[in-house]
Amino acid sequence: MSLDDATFDAVFTSDDSRFVDDAGVEEHLAVHRWAADADEADHALFVDPCSGPTLDLGCGPGRLVHALLLRGVDALGVDTSRAALGLAKARGSVVLRRDVFDRLPGEGRWQHALLADGNIGIGGRPARLLRRVGELVAPGGSVLVEVRENGGILQESRRLLVDGRLGAPFEWAVVGLDAVSYLADRAHLVHTRTLQADGRWVAELHRPVRG
């Protein structure tokens, strides 16, 4: 089942939002960080590596898009949450309400694409998602994927718990750095380097330039 947009919208007006997995283990969502301005780690991991048109997939309140635009880099954020996009527009980010698998502007011509904040987990099928994102960037372009330090690939059903209200289950995936090369190969991408800042890990993948 896909993530319920209405339930996810409530995340941005709540002070207590969590993921709950099948085993009942809860993980607090970093809503305040997502809604704040980009911090030093965000700049090191996602803003500084981007030098041309950038697509932020699952952009949320648009902090990375805003930071890129302030730096003079053309950027577009894509998300399905009306509430998140409302916050993004209010801060001046350029955003579009659309699913990553829908038709998107500039397909195959973006210089960079971002999957920050664990968004490689969207839909629970990271190989499929990464193949799609690889289609969005130009040959020679890069995909920046935030992952965990290790743990392989964990596919699971989750729910959102917002102010004590439990939402419907949806599919999610958690990806460790040790699984990136496998996923990159399946997506016809190349893992070229790993970035680290403030306990966060980002794999930089490139779409090869074919002769």
Side-chain angles (χ1 to χ4, degrees):
M1 182 176 292
S2 61
L3 185 58
D4 178 8
D5 289 344
T7 303
F8 197 74
D9 281 349
V11 164
F12 297 99
T13 59
S14 167
D15 291 324
D16 185 13
S17 302
R18 316 175 194 187
F19 275 146
V20 182
D21 67 18
D22 287 335
V25 177
E26 298 182 3
E27 175 186 342
H28 284 272
L29 304 185
V31 178
H32 293 295
R33 179 168 64 81
W34 300 341
D37 290 336
D39 60 19
E40 289 185 10
D42 289 325
H43 278 267
L45 297 172
F46 293 105
V47 180
D48 295 345
C50 296
S51 57
T54 301
L55 188 64
D56 183 6
L57 300 163
C59 67
R63 76 183 191 282
L64 298 177
V65 175
H66 187 241
L68 286 162
L69 291 172
L70 288 177
R71 191 173 169 230
V73 175
D74 290 335
L76 173 68
V78 176
D79 208 296
T80 60
S81 167
R82 293 182 188 275
L85 294 180
L87 293 171
K89 290 176 181 177
R91 80 193 321 158
S93 299
V94 180
V95 292
L96 180 67
R97 186 172 185 261
R98 202 163 293 180
D99 187 276
V100 64
F101 291 100
D102 292 340
R103 185 71 181 173
L104 295 174
E107 293 199 11
R109 299 194 300 274
W110 293 95
Q111 192 168 340
H112 309 283
L114 312 182
L115 285 171
D117 305 320
N119 284 336
I120 184 64
I122 292 172
R125 298 171 61 186
R128 175 175 179 258
L129 177 59
L130 203 53
R131 281 196 299 272
R132 169 57 176 156
V133 178
E135 295 170 352
L136 297 173
V137 298
S142 70
V143 181
L144 293 161
V145 185
E146 187 163 356
V147 295
R148 295 192 177 180
E149 184 177 1
N150 51 47
I153 301 172
L154 175 63
Q155 295 169 290
E156 60 188 9
S157 176
R158 288 186 169 190
R159 294 172 182 257
L160 275 171
L161 180 64
V162 183
D163 293 332
R165 180 181 177 184
L166 196 62
F170 60 91
E171 299 306 311
W172 194 261
V174 178
V175 174
L177 184 62
D178 49 349
V180 166
S181 292
Y182 165 76
L183 291 174
D185 184 63
R186 294 192 64 187
H188 308 294
L189 301 170
V190 179
H191 181 195
T192 50
R193 64 172 174 162
T194 300
L195 306 172
Q196 182 183 7
D198 195 26
R200 297 164 61 190
W201 299 78
V202 168
E204 185 177 65
L205 317 177
H206 276 85
R207 180 179 175 182
V209 178
R210 304 298 182 186

